[in-house]
């Protein structure tokens, strides 16, 4: 999905649900292949929103099983029953039991790849996804895409703006992490909390300053470029990561 969503805060999906689901009970009802695909698709969203491509019949059946409800982060939906008509209008989101069942069906934690911003930029206001034109940044972006073939979210970590969605429009700037006026760890942590992605599975493709900044929000993040002797070695590692990710994807098909 391409839109940031606030975290669920009530009964349908608790804020901790994506990473600390309840222990499954002894009885596990059967689900159809379509229901399984829907659950796994919902688990790829930070707060469990199911994509619009899931049909109403599947949504309603998952709601009957207790796996799908209405988005409780929205005041207008809080406490409402997930009826067929409501699901038709508002769509569905995973409940706590839905997260648990998605885990049982093979869903992992929501995956994020964070790419550092770059010095080489466009000279006009464009989206963050188009702003940075350097070859190293481009290699990081291609590697992020390879790592997220099975779902997840890519962000850019900007020294001026913090976490950026690729579709967010920004103006060019000339600042790097650590410079006066650059974003603080507290600023990035607030963005992470707002998006409800504190416990995501995070990989950072960037230099050491950007990794250190991101680590304040995600202490357990993966930093495959750490310790590289320079840009040349980083690019080699990125190429190896892309090749491995694509080979793994081919094996799973």
């Amino acid at each position: 999905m391409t839109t940031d969503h606030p975290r669920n805060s009530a009964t349908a999906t608790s804020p901790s649900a994506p990473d600390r689901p309840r222990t499954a009970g002894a009885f596990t009802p059967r689900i159809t292949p379509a229901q399984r695909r829907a659950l796994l698709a919902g688990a790829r969203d930070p707060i469990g929103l199911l994509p619009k491509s899931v049909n109403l019949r599947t949504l309603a059946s998952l709601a009957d099983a207790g796996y799908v409800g209405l988005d409780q982060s929205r005041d207008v939906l809080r406490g409402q029953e997930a009826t067929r008509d409501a699901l038709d209008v508002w769509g569905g989101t995973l409940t706590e039991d839905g997260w648990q069942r998605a885990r049982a069906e093979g869903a992992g934690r929501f995956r994020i790849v964070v790419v550092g911003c770059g010095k080489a930029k466009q000279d006009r206001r464009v989206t963050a996804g188009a702003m940075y034109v350097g070859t190293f940044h481009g290699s990081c972006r291609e590697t992020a895409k390879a790592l997220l073939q099975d779902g997840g979210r890519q962000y850019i970590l900007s020294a001026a703006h913090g976490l950026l969605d690729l579709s967010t429009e920004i103006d060019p700037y000339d600042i790097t992490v650590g410079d006066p006026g650059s974003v603080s760890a507290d600023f990035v942590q607030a963005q992470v909390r707002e998006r409800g992605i504190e416990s995501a599975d995070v990989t950072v493709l960037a230099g050491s300053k950007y990794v250190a900044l991101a680590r304040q929000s995600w202490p357990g993040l993966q930093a495959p470029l750490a310790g590289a002797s320079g840009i040349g070695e980083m690019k080699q590692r990125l190429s190896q990561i892309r090749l491995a990710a694509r080979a793994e994807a081919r094996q799973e098909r």
Side-chain angles (χ1 to χ4, degrees):
M1 298 186 70
T2 58
T3 304
D4 289 329
H5 301 283
R7 298 172 63 184
N8 284 357
S9 57
T11 56
T13 308
S14 70
S16 62
D19 297 286
R20 290 185 293 276
R22 292 185 305 199
T23 303
F27 173 71
T28 303
R30 289 187 177 183
I31 59 175
T32 66
Q35 290 172 326
R36 181 177 184 273
R37 288 193 297 270
L39 290 173
L40 294 179
R44 296 190 185 106
D45 183 83
I47 63 167
L49 293 173
L50 275 68
K52 293 181 180 179
S53 58
V54 177
N55 65 46
L56 181 57
R57 179 179 178 181
T58 299
L59 274 180
S61 63
L62 288 171
D64 288 342
Y67 293 146
V68 165
L70 300 177
D71 181 4
Q72 296 297 290
S73 68
R74 306 185 65 171
D75 290 340
V76 69
L77 300 179
R78 192 164 296 135
Q80 286 196 27
E81 184 181 354
T83 64
R84 187 182 183 90
D85 287 343
L87 290 168
D88 190 24
V89 173
W90 301 103
T93 187
L94 295 181
T95 63
E96 192 172 352
D97 285 342
W99 279 107
Q100 175 65 28
R101 185 58 188 264
R103 297 288 180 270
E105 296 296 330
R109 292 193 300 172
F110 180 70
R111 191 169 195 187
I112 290 172
V113 179
V114 177
V115 175
C117 65
K119 184 175 182 180
K121 302 178 183 69
Q122 302 270 16
D123 61 358
R124 63 189 187 281
R125 183 177 180 85
V126 294
T127 64
M131 175 60 73
Y132 310 97
V133 296
T135 57
F136 175 66
H137 177 84
S139 183
C140 289
R141 291 277 303 281
E142 283 299 309
T143 305
K145 184 178 178 180
L147 289 172
L148 296 172
Q149 292 178 89
D150 292 330
R153 189 71 174 272
Q154 181 180 159
Y155 289 103
I156 294 173
L157 181 54
S158 161
H161 302 284
L163 283 180
L164 285 171
D165 186 88
L166 302 186
S167 63
T168 301
E169 289 192 352
I170 57 173
D171 293 310
Y173 57 91
D174 187 16
I175 194 172
T176 190
V177 169
D179 287 350
S182 63
V183 294
S184 66
D186 287 344
F187 183 86
V188 176
Q189 284 177 325
Q191 291 180 312
V192 170
R193 287 194 298 269
E194 181 182 359
R195 289 165 169 80
I197 53 176
E198 302 99 314
S199 299
D201 180 1
V202 179
T203 298
V204 177
L205 303 176
S208 58
K209 289 183 179 180
Y210 289 82
V211 171
L213 177 62
R215 200 179 292 279
Q216 299 301 307
S217 296
W218 298 294
L221 64 78
Q222 301 177 61
L225 304 184
S229 58
I231 293 294
E233 184 179 346
M234 287 184 180
K235 286 185 175 179
Q236 289 180 348
R237 292 190 188 181
L238 290 169
S239 178
Q240 292 168 355
I241 293 168
R242 287 195 299 272
L243 290 172
R246 289 165 182 165
E248 182 179 350
R250 284 194 297 270
Q251 289 177 354
E252 292 178 353
R253 291 191 182 114

